[in-house]
Amino acid sequence: MTSALPAGDAYPYLRAASAGIRHHTRTLALPPASPADRVHLDVLHAHLTALHQLLDRLAETTRPPHPAAGRHLATAHTRLWQSAAAVHDAFHLLPVADETSAGTECHPERLPEGPPVLTICQRHLAAGHVVRRKTTPSDLNTPVPGHTTTCSQ
């Protein structure tokens, strides 16, 4: 995975996050590979929701001058939300590491006072508000279509 961004780019945090993801990918690839745990899925969900916010901003600023590119970014925005939702669901299906963590279910009514394990739920609900404002339920449930454009490089 190489970056096409120049060294002095305007997205230093994105470059740092990409380096962090590469590090975690290499760490998980080392034998013996262990199954995903709640901590890894929480970190992955944080990356996905941050990318979701970035794609939202890029789609908004790209759409007026370049409508076709903006639509593709908006589609990527939707698909990234679907990925974040799947990771959130997987998080709740994994066993709780210790018995002091109360409950594995997402309870939005208890989020402000809830245990730290529900941080993923807070993040997911916040991202969900953005998605529901800008995306229709049918778009969220549409399967990923085939990519029809071709690369010119």
Side-chain angles (χ1 to χ4, degrees):
M1 179 187 283
T2 59
S3 175
L5 297 173
D9 68 84
Y11 302 103
Y13 297 113
L14 182 58
R15 198 171 54 244
S18 298
I21 290 172
R22 281 193 302 273
H23 168 73
H24 285 290
T25 302
R26 281 191 300 267
T27 303
L28 287 175
L30 296 174
S34 59
D37 60 9
R38 288 178 146 227
V39 173
H40 283 102
L41 291 185
D42 186 29
V43 171
L44 179 60
H45 188 269
H47 281 296
L48 288 172
T49 54
L51 284 172
H52 184 258
Q53 289 174 351
L54 176 63
L55 271 175
D56 184 38
R57 288 186 198 131
L58 289 174
E60 289 289 320
T61 58
T62 302
R63 189 172 292 147
H66 307 287
R71 281 192 302 274
H72 278 285
L73 289 174
T75 299
H77 176 261
T78 301
R79 300 305 174 233
L80 197 55
W81 168 253
Q82 291 170 334
S83 298
V87 168
H88 176 258
D89 293 345
F91 175 89
H92 286 294
L93 292 174
L94 290 176
V96 178
D98 60 353
E99 295 187 20
T100 60
S101 299
T104 60
E105 295 187 14
C106 191
H107 296 285
E109 69 278 3
R110 296 188 309 177
L111 286 178
E113 305 85 31
V117 74
L118 292 181
T119 330
I120 188 173
C121 298
Q122 290 174 323
R123 185 184 324 113
H124 194 70
L125 287 171
H129 289 298
V130 173
V131 168
R132 286 177 188 85
R133 244 185 12 245
K134 298 181 177 190
T135 312
T136 65
S138 63
D139 286 342
L140 291 175
N141 294 322
T142 303
V144 178
H147 190 70
T148 58
T149 59
T150 58
C151 293
S152 59
Q153 296 179 348

